[in-house]
């Protein structure tokens, strides 16, 4: 049995049955059979189930938001935002899936014709993260299902109740049980999935686990996609229209979901001409955040989801201070029950410090002064990750010049920490390989078959 705890009060929420290698193999066999019939349905029929699923999620949003908040500690308003926001993936599929899954016919020369058919991969494993289980889950399993695959979905152990609720709603919406199965368990259960014979592995999580998966499944020679972490930089130029607005937006990018977003702003560079004013507004904004009970409507900062992260954050703070950083706010856990870490702001930081180099994935930010764009570019590029990079400025050309230099899957001008289904979501280097969302994100769950024919 696996125990699920509430991170805001450390109380046991529920004990649930874990999968074993025998139940996983049983589920895999069911999925193999189910996938054959599922793939024979039209895209419209499959899409209809997903649209019904979307309606059910909206109807049950109160209960689902409660579940999400109880097991992850996400403030309740942010749970509602996530569930509502993720619906844009369903709309995206509604308007685009048929177009992208249709055959491409190419009229050839001299009576020879060619066609590309987009066939499903088969039965795919989706090993997922807990920080945005609706967003990152939908990016994979909804797109995979619409493309005709069966899915073994392993939610993170910290989002298992949400995973089970998602499965129940998919079944109610008409997705057969032998087409979607939830696999419950910790990392060891994920490991069993790697040993089983899936036709593709789609992972969202940390770089170390992603690398392990890549190595483990390499001999199978099946598609592997990895959506991993980041150390995403934001550069504030001195020409921003309003320094206060820039500071408010930057703070939200850094602290939304307690900083536990793959594309959270993880380090900020500010032009020296506005540095002091920016830091003052930033501090004022973060000091105003309501911290505490995630069930309370006004709460903006709840507990961290995982207890272990408290040590990592404390270590980053200690390391920075020992190397000369100035602690403006926070810096430690909050007393009492629950995995609360005070929102933390550090200045006088540099790239010798862990906080500017290693993913924090929590409510902590380093703000560094820069002299000019060249220095900002150099620092922004000084990372092994490549998820997103952002610039706030009124000068589009100048911002684009900086963003062009970034080796990241996404760049933002005057916005940050956002994902849209219209464009691909992808990381480079230690941030991953492959793309979800957009046309590429649906084709990711297919394999092309080239068909040549000649009329005789
Ligand atoms: P982890 O890598 O710890 O876990 C991710 C998933 O992998 C979980 O379901 C976990 O199971 C499972 N797992 C752990 N060990 C193994 C194993 N040996 N074999 C197979 N599966 C295994 O990441 P987190 O859940 O902590 O997620 C946070 C990370 O995810 C951050 O780095 C964040 O940046 C990244 N992320 C990236 C996104 C992107 O789109 N690029 C989006 C969201 C998050 P269990 O939890 O049960 O141990």
């Amino acid at each position: 049995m696996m125990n699920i705890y509430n991170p805001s009060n450390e109380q046991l929420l529920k004990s649930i049955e874990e999968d074993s290698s025998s139940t996983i193999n049983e589920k895999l066999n069911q999925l193999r059979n189910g996938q054959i019939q599922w793939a024979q349905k039209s895209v419209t029929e499959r899409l209809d189930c997903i649209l019904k699923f979307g309606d059910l999620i909206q109807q049950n949003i109160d209960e689902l938001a409660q579940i999400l908040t109880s097991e992850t500690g996400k403030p309740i308003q942010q749970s509602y935002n996530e569930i509502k926001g993720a619906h844009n993936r369903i709309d995206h599929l509604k308007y685009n899936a048929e177009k992208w899954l249709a055959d491409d016919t190419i009229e050839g020369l001299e009576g020879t014709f060619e066609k590309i058919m987009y066939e499903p991969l088969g039965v795919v494993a989706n090993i997922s993260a807990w920080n945005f289980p609706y967003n990152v889950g939908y990016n994979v399993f909804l797109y995979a299902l619409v493309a005709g695959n069966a899915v073994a979905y392993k939610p993170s152990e910290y989002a298992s109740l949400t995973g089970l609720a998602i499965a129940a709603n998919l079944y109610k919406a008409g997705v057969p049980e032998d087409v979607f199965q939830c696999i419950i368990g910790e990392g060891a259960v994920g490991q069993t999935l790697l040993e089983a014979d899936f036709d593709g592995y789609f992972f969202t999580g940390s770089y170390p686990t992603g690398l392990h998966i890549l190595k483990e499944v390499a001999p199978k020679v099946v598609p592997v996609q990895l959506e991993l972490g980041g150390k995403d930089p934001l550069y504030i130029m001195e020409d921003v229209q309003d320094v206060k607005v820039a500071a408010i937006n930057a703070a939200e990018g850094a602290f939304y979901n307690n900083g536990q977003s793959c594309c959270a702003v993880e380090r900020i560079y500010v032009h020296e001409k506005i540095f002091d004013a920016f830091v003052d507004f930033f501090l004022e904004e973060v000091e105003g955040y309501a911290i505490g009970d995630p069930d309370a409507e006004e709460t903006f900062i709840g507990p961290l989801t995982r207890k272990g992260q408290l040590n990592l954050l404390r270590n980053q703070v200690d390391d920075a201070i020992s190397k000369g950083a100035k602690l403006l706010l926070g810096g430690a856990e909050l007393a009492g029950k629950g995995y609360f870490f005070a929102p933390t702001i550090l200045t006088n930081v540099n790239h010798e410090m862990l906080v500017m180099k290693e993913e924090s994935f929590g409510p902590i930010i380093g703000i560094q002064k820069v002299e000019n764009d060249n220095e900002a570019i150099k620092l922004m590029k000084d990372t092994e990750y490549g998820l997103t990079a952002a610039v706030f400025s009124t000068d589009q050309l100048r911002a684009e010049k900086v963003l062009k230099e970034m080796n990241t899957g996404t760049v933002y001008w005057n916005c940050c920490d956002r994902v849209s289904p219209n464009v691909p979501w992808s990381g480079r280097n230690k941030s991953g390989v492959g793309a979800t969302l957009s046309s590429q994100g649906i084709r990711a769950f297919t394999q092309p078959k080239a068909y040549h024919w000649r009329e005789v």
Side-chain angles (χ1 to χ4, degrees):
M1 294 298 273
M2 186 170 78
N3 292 335
I4 315 274
Y5 294 93
N6 182 330
S8 71
N9 55 23
E10 301 175 45
Q11 279 174 5
L12 181 67
L13 278 172
K14 221 172 180 175
S15 295
I16 54 175
E17 198 82 49
E18 269 193 281
D19 274 288
S20 61
S21 42
S22 75
T23 62
I24 289 174
N25 281 327
E26 223 170 86
K27 287 178 178 181
L28 177 56
N29 287 338
Q30 278 179 23
L31 293 170
R32 282 249 166 263
N33 290 329
Q35 192 268 332
I36 296 166
Q37 269 112 49
W38 183 246
Q40 281 163 6
K41 289 185 186 293
S42 67
V43 177
T44 317
E45 283 173 299
R46 295 194 294 258
L47 197 51
D48 274 348
C49 295
I50 302 307
L51 298 182
K52 275 190 206 127
F53 165 77
D55 293 342
L56 286 168
I57 293 290
Q58 298 299 324
Q59 283 161 26
N60 297 312
I61 192 163
D62 294 331
E63 186 197 345
L64 296 170
Q66 284 296 339
I67 293 173
L68 182 56
T69 291
S70 69
E71 65 181 338
T72 63
K74 189 186 290 269
I76 189 75
Q77 281 311 322
Q78 295 179 26
S79 289
Y80 277 101
N81 290 348
E82 181 186 343
I83 298 171
K84 282 185 205 154
H87 196 85
N88 66 10
R89 275 72 166 168
I90 297 176
D91 288 338
H92 186 244
L93 284 166
K94 178 176 165 183
Y95 296 115
N96 296 288
E98 278 170 333
K99 180 172 72 195
W100 296 327
L101 291 170
D103 298 347
D104 286 336
T105 302
I106 299 126
E107 204 170 318
L109 293 170
E110 297 158 4
T112 304
F113 297 85
E114 292 154 355
K115 186 157 86 167
I116 309 168
M117 297 185 288
Y118 296 98
E119 297 186 340
L121 296 173
V123 184
V124 299
N126 175 201
I127 302 174
S128 204
W130 45 266
N131 60 334
F132 284 95
Y134 285 88
N135 288 327
V136 299
Y138 283 10
N139 291 358
V140 175
F141 63 72
L142 291 187
Y143 283 72
L145 288 170
V146 171
N149 299 280
V151 180
Y153 172 60
K154 185 200 155 324
S156 159
E157 65 187 277
Y158 304 103
S160 299
L161 301 179
T162 294
L164 289 169
I166 285 172
N169 281 292
L170 281 169
Y171 299 151
K172 267 194 215 153
V175 174
E177 289 193 27
D178 57 8
V179 167
F180 184 90
Q181 279 289 335
C182 206
I183 309 289
I184 294 296
E186 301 176 5
V189 169
Q191 180 66 31
T192 311
L193 287 177
L194 307 184
E195 284 150 22
D197 267 332
F198 285 94
D199 302 312
Y201 288 83
F202 293 82
F203 172 75
T204 309
S206 63
Y207 167 74
T209 312
L211 179 65
H212 172 74
I213 290 175
L214 199 57
K215 286 182 179 166
E216 284 279 299
V217 304
K220 298 182 202 286
V221 196
V222 295
V224 181
Q225 278 204 185
L226 307 174
E227 307 267 4
L228 309 176
K231 190 70 193 168
D232 298 1
L234 163 63
Y235 171 34
I236 318 278
M237 290 178 174
E238 76 286 5
D239 65 355
V240 285
Q241 199 168 28
D242 185 329
V243 178
K244 183 173 181 177
V245 171
I248 291 170
N249 291 336
E252 187 176 6
F255 290 99
Y256 191 82
N257 202 36
N258 225 345
Q260 302 170 120
S261 308
C262 50
C263 53
V265 172
E266 285 252 341
R267 47 200 174 109
I268 301 178
Y269 305 98
V270 184
H271 195 282
E272 59 185 8
K273 286 191 183 153
I274 57 161
F275 184 83
D276 291 343
F278 176 88
V279 169
D280 286 348
F281 286 128
F282 193 92
L283 179 63
E284 185 188 337
E285 174 67 11
V286 179
E287 278 177 327
Y289 286 158
I291 306 167
D293 179 5
D295 288 321
E297 268 188 35
E298 67 280 6
T299 296
F300 186 71
I301 302 275
L304 293 168
T305 304
R306 296 165 305 165
K307 191 176 186 178
Q309 200 69 3
L310 294 169
N311 276 336
L312 184 144
L313 296 179
R314 209 181 316 106
N315 191 34
Q316 289 196 350
V317 173
D318 292 347
D319 170 76
I321 291 173
S322 73
K323 292 172 181 163
K326 190 169 157 197
L327 180 68
L328 293 193
L329 188 70
E333 295 159 61
L334 299 183
K337 285 267 175 208
Y339 316 142
F340 290 89
F341 198 90
T344 297
I345 304 173
L346 293 154
T347 53
N348 272 5
V349 288
N350 61 49
H351 278 219
E352 297 301 308
M353 300 171 186
L354 295 172
V355 72
M356 298 305 276
K357 297 286 286 179
E358 301 288 326
E359 190 180 40
S360 306
F361 220 62
I364 167 170
I365 192 80
I367 310 178
Q368 185 166 354
K369 191 188 286 185
V370 292
E371 266 179 39
N372 52 39
D373 295 357
N374 285 342
E375 188 186 5
I377 291 170
K378 191 166 155 247
L379 292 168
M380 291 167 91
K381 286 172 75 169
D382 181 26
T383 178
E384 293 177 301
Y385 289 102
L387 195 59
T388 83
V391 173
F392 287 0
S393 167
T394 42
D395 185 338
Q396 183 173 3
L397 284 179
R398 189 175 152 203
E400 283 178 356
K401 208 169 153 207
V402 173
L403 294 173
K404 249 191 168 155
E405 295 277 336
M406 299 298 123
N407 190 19
T408 56
T410 294
V411 291
Y412 304 112
W413 175 44
N414 289 334
C415 56
C416 56
D417 189 27
R418 82 183 284 277
V419 178
S420 159
N422 302 316
V423 286
W425 185 245
S426 65
R428 300 183 186 177
N429 297 331
K430 277 190 173 179
S431 291
V433 63
T436 50
L437 301 176
S438 79
S439 54
Q440 301 189 27
I442 194 157
R443 294 258 171 93
F445 299 98
T446 67
Q447 45 194 342
K449 181 178 272 174
Y451 178 30
H452 306 236
W453 80 98
R454 188 168 290 159
E455 282 178 1
V456 287

